[in-house]
């Protein structure tokens, strides 16, 4: 009997020594290896290759590659095409983000007041987000057509001159912004509805007792201040989406007329796949990534400061 107890005691004492090489944290790290491998292969490696390529003179199909340093970036800065594309992208982002945030907020406030059928309104306003933009861009091209578009036909029936939505440099960017607002407003509405739902009704009741008896006074004194974190998130996501404009330009305008709708992603596509300047397109991609990362970093820093002060 004593011999059996002694053997079991030695077995228990040696267990930690045997399990020393298979700790829980080691097991967790082992199980995350497939995920890390996927992240490296699909995210880190392509981004690294693009960054390295932007400092070379590589062109698609060439076997010889030469290191050129910042030459591609200096060409972008000194060239008119890139600066024009950047200016157009910023203009589109300002127009789209401002209007889509405002429209999304107004829709959220209205839908939040509806007691019957609110889910139907949410689904209807969210439909543009779920639809394919390429297919809907063709529909918008017909709706805003100069000659046969229903909107211009209606304007002429009223006695007004038709609007050259996509054939005029002055109107083309605003036309694309209309499509962008149509697509983003429903998504922003859902985000604002989530923020409105998180506001306790007791705060609204307390504001009413304190003298904010009208809807507009409660909106500016209670609702909007409490919605500021959601507002920041909506502005950030809308800005990133606006800077990623490509589908509508590729289908509707091809960067025209006269380069009025030439944006960053379409200019990158044209540089890389039409002009076959792969290194220049890589440099434009790096600039685009810097803009996106900067916007995300600013949003994260502002959110951290809000949490810190609270």
């Amino acid at each position: 009997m004593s011999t059996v107890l002694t053997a079991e005691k030695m077995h228990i004492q040696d267990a930690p020594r045997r399990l020393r090489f298979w700790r829980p944290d080691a097991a967790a790290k082992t199980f995350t290896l497939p995920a890390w491998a996927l992240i490296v292969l699909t995210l880190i490696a392509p981004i690294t290759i693009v960054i390295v390529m932007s400092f070379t003179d590589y062109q698609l199909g060439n076997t010889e590659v030469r290191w050129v340093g910042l030459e591609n970036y200096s060409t972008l800065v000194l060239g008119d095409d890139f600066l024009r594309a950047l200016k157009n992208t910023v203009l589109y982002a300002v127009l789209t983000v401002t209007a889509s945030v405002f429209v999304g907020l107004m829709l959220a406030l209205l839908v939040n007041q509806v007691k019957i059928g609110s889910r139907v309104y949410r689904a209807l306003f969210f439909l543009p987000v779920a639809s394919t933009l390429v297919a809907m861009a063709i529909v918008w091209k017909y709706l805003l057509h100069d000659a046969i578009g229903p909107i211009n036909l209606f304007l002429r029936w009223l006695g007004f001159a038709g609007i050259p939505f996509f054939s005029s440099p002055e109107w083309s960017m605003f036309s694309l912004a209309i499509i962008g607002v149509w697509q983003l407003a429903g998504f922003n509405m859902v985000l604002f509805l989530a923020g409105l739902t998180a506001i306790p009704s007791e705060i609204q009741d307390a504001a009413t007792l304190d003298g904010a008896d009208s809807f507009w006074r409660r909106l500016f004194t209670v609702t909007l201040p409490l919605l500021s974190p959601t507002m920041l998130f909506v502005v950030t996501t809308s800005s990133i989406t606006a800077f990623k404009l490509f589908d509508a330009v590729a289908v509707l305008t091809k960067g025209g007329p006269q380069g009025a709708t030439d944006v960053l992603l379409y200019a990158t596509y044209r540089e890389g796949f039409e002009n076959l300047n792969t290194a220049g397109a890589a440099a434009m991609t790096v600039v685009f990534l810097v803009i996106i990362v900067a916007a995300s970093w600013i949003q994260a820093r502002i959110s951290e400061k809000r949490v810190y002060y609270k």
Side-chain angles (χ1 to χ4, degrees):
M1 183 69 178
S2 61
T3 304
V4 175
L5 293 176
T6 303
E8 291 180 354
K9 185 176 180 180
M10 293 176 60
H11 178 76
I12 295 173
Q13 291 176 351
D14 292 341
R17 186 179 304 172
R18 293 198 307 273
L19 295 175
R20 181 173 55 189
F21 299 101
W22 189 253
R23 296 174 298 180
D25 57 342
K29 293 177 181 178
T30 303
F31 288 130
T32 59
L33 285 179
W36 274 109
L38 186 63
I39 291 173
V40 170
L41 290 175
T42 60
L43 293 178
I44 298 177
I47 292 175
T48 304
I49 292 173
V50 168
I51 293 174
V52 173
M53 192 184 299
S54 67
F55 295 101
T56 66
D57 64 345
Y58 175 76
Q59 292 187 356
L60 193 63
N62 283 5
T63 57
E64 296 182 0
V65 180
R66 183 172 58 91
W67 186 267
V68 297
L70 298 176
E71 181 178 333
N72 292 319
Y73 294 96
S74 62
T75 302
L76 291 181
V77 175
L78 297 177
D80 295 333
D81 293 341
F82 172 76
L83 295 179
R84 180 184 60 195
L86 181 60
K87 182 186 70 173
N88 291 336
T89 305
V90 172
L91 175 61
Y92 174 82
V94 171
L95 294 174
T96 305
V97 172
T98 304
S100 64
V101 170
F102 176 77
V103 174
L105 178 60
M106 293 298 104
L107 290 176
L109 292 172
L110 292 173
V111 173
N112 193 50
Q113 300 295 322
V114 176
K115 303 301 180 183
I116 300 176
S118 62
R119 295 183 179 179
V120 176
Y121 288 110
R122 296 182 188 186
L124 290 176
F125 289 128
F126 193 76
L127 278 178
V129 182
S131 61
T132 304
L133 184 58
V134 174
M136 297 309 300
I138 298 175
V139 177
W140 276 103
K141 186 175 184 178
Y142 165 71
L143 291 175
L144 302 177
H145 195 275
D146 294 351
I148 62 174
I151 295 179
N152 272 326
L153 291 177
F154 179 71
L155 290 176
R156 293 190 184 97
W157 180 74
L158 293 177
F160 298 100
I163 300 176
F165 288 104
F166 295 119
S167 60
S168 170
E170 291 77 17
W171 279 97
S172 54
M173 185 58 71
F174 291 96
S175 303
L176 291 177
I178 292 173
I179 301 175
V181 173
W182 170 82
Q183 186 188 24
L184 277 175
F187 183 71
N188 293 343
M189 178 201 69
V190 172
L191 296 178
F192 280 125
L193 280 173
L196 290 172
T197 306
I199 298 177
S201 58
E202 292 81 3
I203 298 180
Q204 300 282 4
D205 297 336
T208 303
L209 294 175
D210 289 340
D213 50 354
S214 66
F215 169 81
W216 295 107
R217 293 189 64 180
R218 289 194 301 272
L219 175 65
F220 289 103
T221 58
V222 177
T223 305
L224 290 182
L226 293 178
L227 270 181
S228 55
T230 305
M231 180 77 71
L232 176 62
F233 179 76
V234 170
V235 171
T236 304
T237 55
S238 299
S239 300
I240 293 174
T241 303
F243 268 90
K244 290 163 57 179
L245 173 67
F246 175 80
D247 297 347
V249 174
V251 174
L252 297 174
T253 64
K254 308 293 185 184
Q258 303 176 17
T261 60
D262 196 14
V263 293
L264 276 178
L265 283 188
Y266 190 78
T268 303
Y269 163 78
R270 188 180 60 250
E271 191 72 15
F273 293 96
E274 294 183 4
N275 301 335
L276 299 181
N277 184 12
T278 310
M284 297 177 71
T285 304
V286 172
V287 174
F288 174 78
L289 289 175
V290 169
I291 294 174
I292 299 299
V293 171
S296 303
W297 180 81
I298 292 173
Q299 188 263 344
R301 292 291 296 174
I302 295 176
S303 299
E304 289 176 0
K305 288 184 178 181
R306 290 185 59 85
V307 173
Y308 174 79
Y309 286 119
K310 287 181 179 179

